[in-house]
Amino acid sequence: MSRPESLAPMISADTATGAVRSPKTAELVARTLRRMVVDGQLKDGDFLPHEAELISHFGVSRPTLREAVRVLESERLVEVRRGSRTGARVRVPGPEIVARPAALLLALSGTTLADVMTARTAIEPPAANMLAENGTAEAHDELRRLVDAVPAAWEAGTLAAASAQLHRRMVELSGNATLGIIAGMLHEIGERHTAAAISGATGDKKMAKAEYMRLHKSYVRLANLVYARKGDAAEAHWRRHMEAASAAMLRGHEKTRVRDIMD
């Protein structure tokens, strides 16, 4: 997207009347620019106004402005290409911005996979209810596509990735942004845990096939209940699914910690 023609329409009222004067000027400039992103005045892909225009508006020095931009860059709200004449470009982050730090905190605290599964079991069934009762037709259709995308083979990598994506998107599609962000934070841990559990169950092909059939049948039932907008039934079904999945996935991983499966 092109740069805004003028900075003035995008500036909040508290800074539109004069230059920022504060011992922490760079942080205040960064706060104003951050608010513009949050309010949608600057959208993903937009470039910040030219440096000279920002310096003039805020009444700050070039080093101060560049420090403010570095603050936003450290938050992954803007992307700066060094040596480029186009300046800083807005990059609205997704859950991945907190996923890695969250995984690190869980690893440092000695959190077990059992702890993570308990959290997932707490948030996913209510999300299934919300998706069924309040989700759009497009959201319901996407859930069906995610079920159809689950591979018909008991392979650790591909099945774990498809399964983890279904779990994550089901929560995100529920419409509750907070639960969606939590699901995004736990996504990589869940995928790696699923892959480890599948790898440990591939020895007996007959049993593996039976496990896959139960898994796929459960996914299809979830999609059908959501599509029929039976919220309570979808929640009850998914709670049973998560409890059964937790028991199966933690078999042999009762004391496995997050740090044991993350890089």
Side-chain angles (χ1 to χ4, degrees), residues 17-245:
T17 57
V20 176
R21 302 297 181 190
S22 169
K24 298 182 179 179
T25 307
E27 286 79 1
L28 292 175
V29 172
R31 182 188 303 171
T32 298
L33 294 172
R34 186 187 302 113
R35 174 57 62 182
M36 291 162 63
V37 175
V38 171
D39 290 344
Q41 295 168 303
L42 283 169
K43 297 180 172 57
D44 188 48
D46 285 351
F47 286 99
L48 295 186
H50 286 286
E51 190 175 76
E53 189 176 355
L54 289 170
I55 289 172
S56 174
H57 174 79
F58 288 113
V60 297
S61 65
R62 180 172 281 104
T64 297
L65 177 64
R66 290 183 175 179
E67 182 183 349
V69 172
R70 282 195 295 271
V71 170
L72 299 179
E73 189 178 16
S74 70
E75 297 172 350
R76 299 187 185 179
L77 277 178
V78 300
E79 177 185 71
V80 180
R81 294 186 178 181
R82 307 304 175 192
S84 171
R85 295 183 179 180
T86 55
R89 193 171 193 176
V90 175
R91 290 298 186 196
V92 177
E96 67 279 357
I97 194 172
V98 290
R100 274 291 175 169
L104 177 60
L105 286 174
L106 291 173
L108 290 171
S109 65
T111 304
T112 63
L113 294 181
D115 189 282
V116 174
M117 284 300 300
T118 298
R120 293 179 59 196
T121 302
I123 68 171
E124 290 193 25
N129 190 324
M130 286 184 278
L131 175 57
E133 294 190 352
N134 305 317
T136 64
E138 291 78 9
H140 291 180
D141 288 341
E142 181 175 342
L143 182 64
R144 283 194 180 279
R145 289 195 296 271
L146 289 167
V147 172
D148 292 340
V150 174
W154 190 260
E155 297 177 0
T158 55
L159 181 55
S163 177
Q165 180 66 2
L166 188 151
H167 280 261
R168 173 182 176 174
R169 285 297 293 154
M170 187 275 292
V171 178
E172 292 175 338
L173 291 169
S174 73
N176 186 289
T178 304
L179 291 182
I181 289 174
I182 295 173
M185 288 167 53
L186 299 177
H187 173 76
E188 185 177 3
I189 298 172
E191 181 175 344
R192 294 194 181 207
H193 182 191
T194 302
I198 293 173
S199 295
T202 54
D204 188 329
K205 292 185 177 180
K206 185 176 181 180
M207 184 175 71
K209 183 177 181 179
E211 288 288 343
Y212 170 81
M213 294 302 293
R214 280 194 290 270
L215 177 70
H216 192 266
K217 183 178 179 180
S218 182
Y219 286 164
V220 170
R221 177 159 177 74
L222 172 67
N224 289 341
L225 289 171
V226 166
Y227 195 79
R229 297 194 178 276
K230 296 181 178 180
D232 290 341
E235 179 173 355
H237 167 69
W238 204 240
R239 189 173 302 282
R240 290 191 297 270
H241 173 95
M242 291 299 296
E243 290 171 350

